[in-house]
Amino acid sequence: MPAALPLPLPPFQETQKPGSALITGDAIVLNGAELQFPWRLEGESGSGQRLVVPVEILTHRLGARVNPGADGLQLAWFGHVSPLQQADPPLGSGPAVDIAPLAERFRWQFRAVGSRLNLRIPPPRLVNVRLAQSAERVRIVLDFLGPAPFRVEDRSLLVEMRSREAHLREMETLGIPHQWTPGLLKLHTTVLSANSRILTLGGPERLVLDLSYEDFLALRVLGPTGGQAVLPPLKQFRLNTRVLTLGSRRFRLHSVALDLTNPSVTMLPLTGSDGMDGLDSLQALANAWQADLAINGGYFHRTRKLPLGAIKRQGHWLSGPILGRGAIGWGSGERPAFGRLAMKETVTGPRGSFPVSHLNSGYVQKGVARYTHHWGSHYRPLTQGETGFLVRDNRVVRHFAAFQLKGGVALAPESWLLVARSGASLPLQLGDPVVLDQRLTPGVFARQPHVLGAGPLLLQGGRPVLNAALERFSTQFQREKAPRSMVAWGQGQLWLLTVQGLGNSGPTLQEATRLARQLGMEDALNLDGGSSTTLVFRGVTTVRGRGVDSRVHNGLGVVVREPPGENGSQRSRN
């Protein structure tokens, strides 16, 4: 028999005064799951009504793709392609669209109740389960009577659907490990590599796991409980949760305190393994670095998938600082440094000196930028018309015109590339000797082997120092209420903190500063927030800023190596 469905919502009723043409809120209850997202309902009930929600609802909770089209944005979902009208005015800091036409097309139900929007997307019936195999690939295919909302959480695929027992037994027969609760199918994808992917197709609506044969074998062998065991952290390595109040507003705090003087504790910036290009879940980054604890890190360009701020690991700048924004620098066994970090690089050649605007950065400005092999194996242009000079052993060895640079340049360990953008000149010639001078402000960051930049800086030396405008954050960002991630120093320990709103969208930057001071912190740095806010503890994603798994560029990870006397072994990352 099909799984029982919740009773349908009663007809839409406005919860504000009769005749109101605008209703807003800060929480969306999607099929019973409350998510901290803003929304806006415009107009009276009927065909002219608009329901504006963030695009993230469609991409992270439904599995839809939102792509640019000839006439604007388009939604692609199980073979259905629908135009989307972008919100005007916008909704929060991210893109938002009107989903009222989608609700009408797919028979979604919605109702505003106070500050909450109840959104019901009926799960479809599963009608067939099958495998399609070749010598190298395996496809797990689920056929539905309609589009099925799905999402990936903790590297598991969750599909909202109705099913008969016969189909579940067929999965067992085919060797597809899964868990089933009424209305929700969970497929364990922890072992899958980047060589596997999840697709949606139409005619009929199909959800497809396109796997390498090796991934399919690993999925069958490891099953629902597969994956690597996580070494238990030290006993004092604890996650704490509490509720904080500021005036009438309440916030949920997750915190972990670290003793950086403990030789078993190592803190590192987490990035992908293939250079600075690419995004991944924080849990995947933590797993790759064998980190027991991780919090999301600095900002990044979501489209280019490149870092926007300082990342220094083991003495090497993977990404340089930008805009004099807040950063934390640390070494082994000492108090970390907090401050607004600026880097000044100057190159001197036979025809004079010129400044370098940024080092290994996705932040693109007119001028000359510098890239090393810590950026990745190759540099590929980020703007039109770039030219460059390759320097090896402090001498110019090659010039690249725009058409030559377009195909990319290999970056070897002993060389670096100077890139001129927007018509900037490079007063160099082949064979010229050059001298590079690099200076950091404050100078203490030059001595730190590890640095992570984000911002704005909230506290320094026990005093509030929040000045988002000084760090070149937009006015809208300064006013925004959102989940927050912070790294702070207080009570002789380093703290990793996340703050989420209870019945609200989250704290402002001013409120985050007050909360950090209320907790007794002496120094505090705001990290990337909103949907990026994530905390991984003991291999489990404990905090999701807005209730969705978001991909990030980098994070801050903590590796705990137990002394050999406690468990007889140590871990290290090769």
Side-chain angles (χ1 to χ4, degrees):
M1 294 296 291
L5 289 175
L7 293 174
L9 294 171
F12 169 74
Q13 294 180 357
E14 294 181 351
T15 59
Q16 297 189 9
K17 296 180 180 180
S20 172
L22 178 65
I23 307 175
T24 62
D26 57 10
I28 298 177
V29 181
L30 176 58
N31 288 354
E34 181 169 337
L35 310 170
Q36 296 300 314
F37 280 101
W39 56 274
R40 184 171 69 237
L41 187 61
E42 303 172 359
E44 306 293 339
S45 300
S47 59
Q49 199 170 38
R50 288 165 48 88
L51 177 57
V52 178
V53 302
V55 167
E56 284 181 272
I57 286 285
L58 304 177
T59 57
H60 292 304
R61 297 295 297 196
L62 302 188
R65 296 197 317 273
V66 176
N67 305 315
D71 300 318
L73 296 180
Q74 288 185 333
L75 173 133
W77 195 38
F78 288 89
H80 300 276
V81 178
S82 304
L84 294 173
Q85 184 176 353
Q86 287 192 261
D88 185 18
L91 189 68
S93 59
V97 292
D98 174 23
I99 65 167
L102 299 179
E104 182 176 359
R105 176 175 181 178
F106 296 110
R107 298 184 180 180
W108 300 347
Q109 299 170 320
F110 59 90
R111 184 179 65 174
V113 181
S115 63
R116 289 177 171 81
L117 176 75
N118 287 335
L119 179 59
R120 171 72 177 160
I121 298 180
R125 185 189 303 277
L126 176 69
V127 295
N128 195 21
V129 181
R130 51 199 169 95
L131 289 182
Q133 293 185 248
S134 66
E136 298 180 356
R137 311 290 297 179
V138 178
R139 281 192 165 191
I140 300 174
V141 183
L142 307 179
D143 294 329
F144 296 101
L145 291 177
F150 72 93
R151 62 192 183 273
V152 176
E153 288 184 1
D154 297 332
R155 303 194 72 180
S156 293
L157 176 64
L158 304 179
V159 187
E160 298 183 37
M161 62 179 217
R162 296 180 294 164
S163 177
R164 297 181 182 274
E165 287 293 331
H167 297 134
L168 300 177
R169 289 194 299 270
E170 181 67 10
M171 288 189 198
E172 296 175 358
T173 302
L174 295 173
I176 304 173
H178 65 278
Q179 290 178 342
W180 170 254
T181 55
L184 187 68
L185 175 71
K186 182 176 184 179
L187 299 176
H188 297 269
T189 57
T190 304
V191 298
L192 300 188
S193 68
N195 196 27
S196 297
R197 53 189 183 148
I198 301 171
L199 309 171
T200 64
L201 302 172
E205 288 88 351
R206 288 162 286 164
L207 182 63
V208 179
L209 271 70
D210 181 39
L211 314 175
S212 68
Y213 193 74
E214 292 77 13
D215 279 356
F216 180 65
L217 288 179
L219 190 68
R220 295 183 68 175
V221 170
L222 292 174
T225 58
Q228 296 181 345
V230 178
L231 185 71
L234 299 173
K235 293 179 181 178
Q236 62 267 33
F237 191 65
R238 298 176 59 186
L239 174 66
N240 295 298
T241 304
R242 57 188 291 194
V243 174
L244 301 176
T245 302
L246 282 180
S248 61
R249 286 162 56 77
R250 300 168 70 242
F251 306 97
R252 184 175 301 282
L253 170 80
H254 289 82
S255 65
V256 182
L258 307 171
D259 178 8
L260 295 186
T261 66
N262 190 321
S264 298
V265 176
T266 302
M267 188 166 71
L268 293 167
L270 306 180
T271 59
S273 59
D274 298 324
M276 292 295 96
D277 183 3
L279 308 180
D280 209 338
S281 69
L282 182 64
Q283 182 161 352
L285 293 177
N287 289 344
W289 286 88
Q290 299 183 34
D292 300 277
L293 169 70
I295 195 169
N296 64 289
Y299 300 100
F300 54 94
H301 195 294
R302 287 193 177 273
T303 303
R304 292 192 176 121
K305 303 178 182 179
L306 296 175
L308 298 174
I311 308 173
K312 184 183 183 184
R313 184 172 58 231
Q314 297 174 337
H316 302 295
W317 287 102
L318 284 66
S319 175
I322 66 171
L323 302 172
R325 288 182 172 176
I328 177 176
W330 69 95
S332 177
E334 60 184 27
R335 175 172 175 164
F338 288 78
R340 294 189 178 97
L341 176 59
M343 174 184 287
K344 182 179 181 181
E345 287 195 332
T346 304
V347 174
T348 302
R351 279 160 291 282
S353 300
F354 56 90
V356 175
S357 64
H358 296 94
L359 168 65
N360 288 345
S361 183
Y363 184 67
V364 176
Q365 295 287 291
K366 178 179 180 179
V368 178
R370 187 168 75 94
Y371 292 87
T372 73
H373 73 283
H374 296 294
W375 176 253
S377 61
H378 287 74
Y379 171 80
R380 292 176 175 80
L382 303 182
T383 61
Q384 295 290 329
E386 295 181 357
T387 60
F389 281 98
L390 188 67
V391 177
R392 183 181 297 119
D393 298 327
N394 296 321
R395 188 171 295 275
V396 177
V397 297
R398 187 173 176 186
H399 171 255
F400 294 92
F403 74 93
Q404 294 171 311
L405 198 62
K406 189 174 182 180
V409 176
L411 299 173
E414 68 276 6
S415 64
W416 38 274
L417 180 70
L418 292 169
V419 176
R421 295 180 177 130
S422 303
S425 62
L426 277 169
L428 295 174
Q429 296 179 5
L430 288 179
D432 280 352
V434 295
V435 176
L436 174 68
D437 179 68
Q438 182 187 93
R439 300 185 183 184
L440 295 176
T441 305
V444 65
F445 282 93
R447 302 192 299 270
Q448 304 292 344
H450 309 293
V451 174
L452 185 68
L457 191 65
L458 306 178
L459 297 174
Q460 192 169 29
R463 298 183 300 106
V465 293
L466 173 62
N467 190 334
L470 179 64
E471 299 184 30
R472 306 276 295 276
F473 287 100
S474 68
T475 302
Q476 180 178 349
F477 178 84
Q478 297 174 43
R479 293 195 301 257
E480 188 175 22
K481 299 176 181 178
R484 304 285 173 187
S485 296
M486 295 181 281
V487 57
W489 177 267
Q491 305 165 35
Q493 299 181 96
L494 187 80
W495 295 78
L496 304 184
L497 310 165
T498 66
V499 185
Q500 298 164 283
L502 286 176
N504 60 74
S505 299
T508 63
L509 290 171
Q510 287 282 1
E511 288 172 328
T513 304
R514 291 172 59 192
L515 289 170
R517 199 176 188 194
Q518 180 178 312
L519 291 166
M521 300 297 110
E522 300 172 42
D523 302 295
L525 174 68
N526 182 69
L527 303 174
D528 192 8
S531 58
S532 292
T533 292
T534 314
L535 184 68
V536 174
F537 184 78
R538 298 190 183 187
V540 177
T541 302
T542 307
V543 175
R544 298 178 181 86
R546 287 184 171 137
V548 297
D549 275 320
S550 186
R551 290 159 62 85
V552 298
H553 180 274
N554 58 82
L556 191 59
V558 180
V559 178
V560 179
R561 294 177 175 88
E562 297 280 0
E566 294 195 21
N567 65 2
S569 64
Q570 286 185 316
R571 290 181 304 165
S572 63
R573 186 180 190 272
N574 295 326

